[in-house]
């Protein structure tokens, strides 16, 4: 081979060794050789020779029996019966030698003939013969079984002819002489060689018909049995049988055969995972495609070799001048007859195979000629030897033009190296593990274009068969789908997935040590207003223009992306700068110029539109992950929005620390809601004129598992920002769940107090947004009052109106419905926040509750004093009661009472109480009022100092002490 074709099909050497256990082989050779040397030297004494010749052979046989039996139990396949039979055969041989030793060594007598030892030895061959049959490759047809029997008889009959001519005829004549004891001895003399002939026949037949499974172990077992049979043949020959004594050199053959059989299932295989595993080197050698004509033709020559052996037996009698024995003639005739029958079967099989081959060849030719795929056969030199006619339609080149061309010259140079590597790897792999492989490359067409071709590759006589098809359109479609999956469909900028991959490449590639790489997160402030005012089409046009400006503003190596909605991002690759301060200043300038560019007016639908850009910047600190880097930039961007928008914010570690703290606290709060860690306390609302308890304000407290007591201001603030990310987005579900719990617990405990005779209304704080929230079904408050039996006037809703987006029409209808049921409405936080005058004008309010900020400065600040007095005058003129929250000092009590405030709530009277202390306070009924009882400064509808409510009744959940 030469040129690219040689490079394409060069086969790489197989890795790994033979995997055989050389230590076991060496030990086997040493022990067998030692036994042979000892036997050749006579073992030093006749007694030791008898011991080694009898009990030594018995020990070897028992070792082989144990080894084969253990292996048979360790495997789970069709081979198990064969190895069990080998174990029984070896056991019989070991027992026979043990009986022989009993007579010669223990009793000191000659072994009688026949004896129990002869019975054991005769039981050696039949199990081995059946075991070999089990291991043989079973024929699949009736003719195959007939051929197997004929082959066995051809070999066995030929050996019988030869053996009868040489030795067995003499034994038969001895049996016919009629001498005392001659018949049993002659029968034994005939039984041993006949069984050995049968065993040799099966060994030879199995050699040509053995199964591919576990070939090395089977070969070793066959060799062990053959060695044993050879030793038996020498023992039964007239030359040695009369002079044989235990411990002689002949015993070394039996000894080595037993050890070899013990070694066969283990040493010839590679141990893997505790069980034998096939030897990869032997398997690779067996799978090599080159042929071995001599060994491959031996099965076909077997009948002729058998006939030759039979002829030699007859010629031996003729040349020796003997009369031809009838047994020889009969056996020879049967061998010739079996040969004729077998040749007839082979002739019929050859005719059938020839017809089948011609039919399959025609069928294959029709398939190849009519296939739309191009089928090519490449020789081991890489030259195309055959190309199907479909090449004209697929490649635009005639098949005759491609035949004789080197395959490597038709492949694109950029793909050739990859194709060569894959072909070499495929050829080096075992065919059973990887029969085919698939290769994609570019193939030169007739008009000079490069087509994307997918080929299924198979081995063929050292070369390759390629089944190829044109997949150019599929490759183009895949490229389009890949682009669509990685780019935003509106702006064609990289999307979040591709941007994340680019960031990962920047952090892990050759720039991994460059910590000046930065990520920018960009949000367009005011974009929602564009969608709401001039439509989504205009919003899309604005996003397209913003993406174009962003793409034009970054460098060629940087990445601009759209993450979704009006959020964009940019990856600014580092320049290797080690001056962190200078690099931060440089990136900040880039981000600020980008902010200015994106904030320029946009000409959309004939009108000028303005949006601003909030940008967060984060740098690739050492060891940072892509997700952490992008998260940091996101946090910095939201800090820029929270800081006034239209600005650039650099990430600082305290941003993440704050988010982590809020997330941890929110997680604990979420667990507390489900684990029942919240307790409900009540703070008395006291009449400033008389000191009577007019109502109680429900307040929630959270006793965390760590022993921390959180006030409402603390855990409500966490609940509103518990999404773990952007503080501007409240967790509505968590706040709703907490609000429902607070309302229901307050109603339940208030109803229980009413049944106990404490007719004091309970005040529950609720925002207007929560009252109108869809998660709180319409009529849920009414159903709660009915379910627990709380009478009319026993519930006060302290309403907070702080969001200008609250629909007053809906809120007015909702409060009017509650008011008709006797629910009192208090306007919470009066004097601060949003829409206080609108709420007074439109909503059915029964009480004004002054904001804590007014109460705290009412004594020290004359300005706040006048504002508070004015608000109280408005409440009194409208006929409403008033209550001040956060009344903690006696001076505040006196000042508020003088200004006309009717009720107060604060530490000047009592802090929040648990249920036990609250009931004790309700039994007492009043708190001391600083300055004694007094009348308000002016008379009004509520000058009596107590809330005018309708009394009623509920069930209490015990609360631990505060």
């Amino acid at each position: 081979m030469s040129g690219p074709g040689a490079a394409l099909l060069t086969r790489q050497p197989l890795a790994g060794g033979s995997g055989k256990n050389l230590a076991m082989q060496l030990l086997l050779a040493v022990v067998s050789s030692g036994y042979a040397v000892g036997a050749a030297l006579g073992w030093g004494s006749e007694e030791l020779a008898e011991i080694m010749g009898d009990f030594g052979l018995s020990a070897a046989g028992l070792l082989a029996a144990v080894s084969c039996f253990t292996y048979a139990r360790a495997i789970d396949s069709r081979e198990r019966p064969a190895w069990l039979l080998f174990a029984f055969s070896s056991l019989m041989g070991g027992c026979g030698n043990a009986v022989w030793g009993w007579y010669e060594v223990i009793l000191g007598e000659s072994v009688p003939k026949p004896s129990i030892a002869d019975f054991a030895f005769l039981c050696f061959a039949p199990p081995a013969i059946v075991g070999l049959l089990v291991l043989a490759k079973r024929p699949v047809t009736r003719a195959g079984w007939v051929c197997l029997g004929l082959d066995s008889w051809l070999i066995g009959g030929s050996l019988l002819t030869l053996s009868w001519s040489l030795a067995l005829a003499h034994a038969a004549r001895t049996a016919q002489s009629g001498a005392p004891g001659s018949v049993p001895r002659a029968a034994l003399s005939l039984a041993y060689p006949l069984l050995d002939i049968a065993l040799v026949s099966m060994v030879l037949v199995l050699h040509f018909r053995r199964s591919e499974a576990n070939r090395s172990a089977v070969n070793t077992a066959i060799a062990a049995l053959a060695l044993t049979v050879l030793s038996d043949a020498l023992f039964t020959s007239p030359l040695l049988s009369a002079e044989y004594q235990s411990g002689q050199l002949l015993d070394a053959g039996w000894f080595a055969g037993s050890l070899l059989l013990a070694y066969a299932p283990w040493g010839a295989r590679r141990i893997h995972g505790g069980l034998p595993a096939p030897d990869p080197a032997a398997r690779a050698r067996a799978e090599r495609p080159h042929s071995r004509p001599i060994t491959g033709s031996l099965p076909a020559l077997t009948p002729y070799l058998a006939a030759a052996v039979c002829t030699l037996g007859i010629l031996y009698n003729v040349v020796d001048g003997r009369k031809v024995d009838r047994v020889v003639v009969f056996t020879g005739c049967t061998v010739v007859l079996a040969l004729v029958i077998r040749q007839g079967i082979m002739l019929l099989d050859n005719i059938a195979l020839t017809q089948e081959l011609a039919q399959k060849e025609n069928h294959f030719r029709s398939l190849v000629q009519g296939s739309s795929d191009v089928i090519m056969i490449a020789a081991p030199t890489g030259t195309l030897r055959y190309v199907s006619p479909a090449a004209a339609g697929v490649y635009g080149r005639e098949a005759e033009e491609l035949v004789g061309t080197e395959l490597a010259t038709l492949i694109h140079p950029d793909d050739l190296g990859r194709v060569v590597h894959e072909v070499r790897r495929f050829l080096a792999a075992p065919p059973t593990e990887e029969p085919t492989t698939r290769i994609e490359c570019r193939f030169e067409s007739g008009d000079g274009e490069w087509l994307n071709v997918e080929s299924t590759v198979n081995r063929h006589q050292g070369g390759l068969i390629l089944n190829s098809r044109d997949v150019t359109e599929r490759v183009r479609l895949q490229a389009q789908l890949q682009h669509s999956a990685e780019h935003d469909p509106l702006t064609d900028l990289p999307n979040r997935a591709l941007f994340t991959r680019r960031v990962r490449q920047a952090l892990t590639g050759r720039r991994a040590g460059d910590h000046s790489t930065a990520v920018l997160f960009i949000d367009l402030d005011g974009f929602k207003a564009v969608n709401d005012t001039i439509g989504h089409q205009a919003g899309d046009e604005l996003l397209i223009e913003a993406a174009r400006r962003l793409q034009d503003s970054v460098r060629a190596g940087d990445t601009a992306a759209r993450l979704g909605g009006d959020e964009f991002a940019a990856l600014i690759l580092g320049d290797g700068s080690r001056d962190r301060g200078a690099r931060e200043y440089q990136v900040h300038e880039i981000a600020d110029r980008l902010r200015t560019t994106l904030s320029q007016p946009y000409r959309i639908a004939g009108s000028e539109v303005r949006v601003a850009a909030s940008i967060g910047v984060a740098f690739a600190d050492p060891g940072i992950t892509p997700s952490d880097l992008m998260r940091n930039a996101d946090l910095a961007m939201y800090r820029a929005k929270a800081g006034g928008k239209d600005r650039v914010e650099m990430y600082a570690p305290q941003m993440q620390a704050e988010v982590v703290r809020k997330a941890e606290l929110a997680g604990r709060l979420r667990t507390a809601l489900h684990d029942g860690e919240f307790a409900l306390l009540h703070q008395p609302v006291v009449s400033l004129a008389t000191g009577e308890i007019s109502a109680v304000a429900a307040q929630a407290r959270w006793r965390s598992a760590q022993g921390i007591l959180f006030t409402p201001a603390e855990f409500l603030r966490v609940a509103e920002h518990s999404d773990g990310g952007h503080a501007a987005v409240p967790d509505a579900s968590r706040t709703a769940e907490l609000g429902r719990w607070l309302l229901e617990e307050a109603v339940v405990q208030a109803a229980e107090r009413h049944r106990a005779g404490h007719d004091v209304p309970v005040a529950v704080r609720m925002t207007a947004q929560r009252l109108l929230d869809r998660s709180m079904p319409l009529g849920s408050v009414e159903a709660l009052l009915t379910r627990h039996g709380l009478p009319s006037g026993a519930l006060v809703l302290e309403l907070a109106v702080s969001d200008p987006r609250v629909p007053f029409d809906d809120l007015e209808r909702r409060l009017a419905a509650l008011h008709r049921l006797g629910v009192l409405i208090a306007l919470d936080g009066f004097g601060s926040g949003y829409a206080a005058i609108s709420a007074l004008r439109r909503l059915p309010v029964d009480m004004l509750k002054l904001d804590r900020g007014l109460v705290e400065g009412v004594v020290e600040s004359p300005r706040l004093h006048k504002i508070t007095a004015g608000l109280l005058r408005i409440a009194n003129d409208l006929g409403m009661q008033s209550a001040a929250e956060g009344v903690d000092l006696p001076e505040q009590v006196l000042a508020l009472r003088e200004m006309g405030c009717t009720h107060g709530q604060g530490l000047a009277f009592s802090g929040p109480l648990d249920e036990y202390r609250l009931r004790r306070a309700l039994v007492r009924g009043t708190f001391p009022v600083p300055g004694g009882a007094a009348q308000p400064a002016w008379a009004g509808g509520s000058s009596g100092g107590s809330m005018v409510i309708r009394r009623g009744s509920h069930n209490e959940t015990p609360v631990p002490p505060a």
Side-chain angles (χ1 to χ4, degrees), residues 898-915:
E898 290 177 359
M899 288 186 283
C901 184
T902 59
H903 296 82
Q905 171 187 342
L907 297 178
F909 304 105
S910 172
L913 304 175
D914 60 24
E915 188 67 16

Side-chain angles (χ1 to χ4, degrees), residues 43-200:
W43 298 103
S45 67
E46 183 177 353
E47 182 179 359
L48 181 60
E50 290 180 348
I51 293 175
M52 295 303 298
D54 296 334
F55 291 113
L57 294 182
S58 178
L62 293 177
L63 176 64
V66 172
S67 175
C68 293
F69 180 76
T70 304
Y71 177 71
R73 294 191 60 186
I75 63 175
D76 186 14
S77 67
R78 61 179 293 268
E79 300 176 15
R80 173 181 289 182
W83 291 102
L84 289 175
L85 290 169
F86 291 157
F88 181 75
S89 178
S90 300
L91 178 64
M92 291 294 98
C95 291
N97 282 298
V99 171
W100 199 287
W102 173 264
Y103 281 104
E104 289 191 339
V105 177
I106 304 300
L107 300 180
E109 301 175 359
S110 298
V111 181
K113 293 184 180 182
S115 66
I116 300 177
D118 293 317
F119 173 78
F121 289 144
L122 289 177
C123 290
F124 172 83
I129 293 173
V130 178
L132 291 175
L133 284 173
V134 173
L135 291 179
K137 183 187 297 184
R138 298 178 182 178
V140 296
T141 63
R142 185 178 301 175
W145 284 103
V146 173
C147 289
L148 177 61
L150 292 175
D151 289 343
S152 301
W153 176 242
L154 285 172
I155 297 174
S158 301
L159 293 177
L160 177 60
T161 301
L162 188 60
S163 301
W164 191 273
S165 301
L166 295 176
L168 298 183
H170 174 73
R173 286 192 294 271
T174 302
Q176 294 175 357
S177 64
S182 61
V183 175
R185 285 194 295 272
L188 284 177
S189 300
L190 291 174
Y192 282 119
L194 290 177
L195 288 175
D196 288 339
I197 288 173
L199 186 56
V200 169

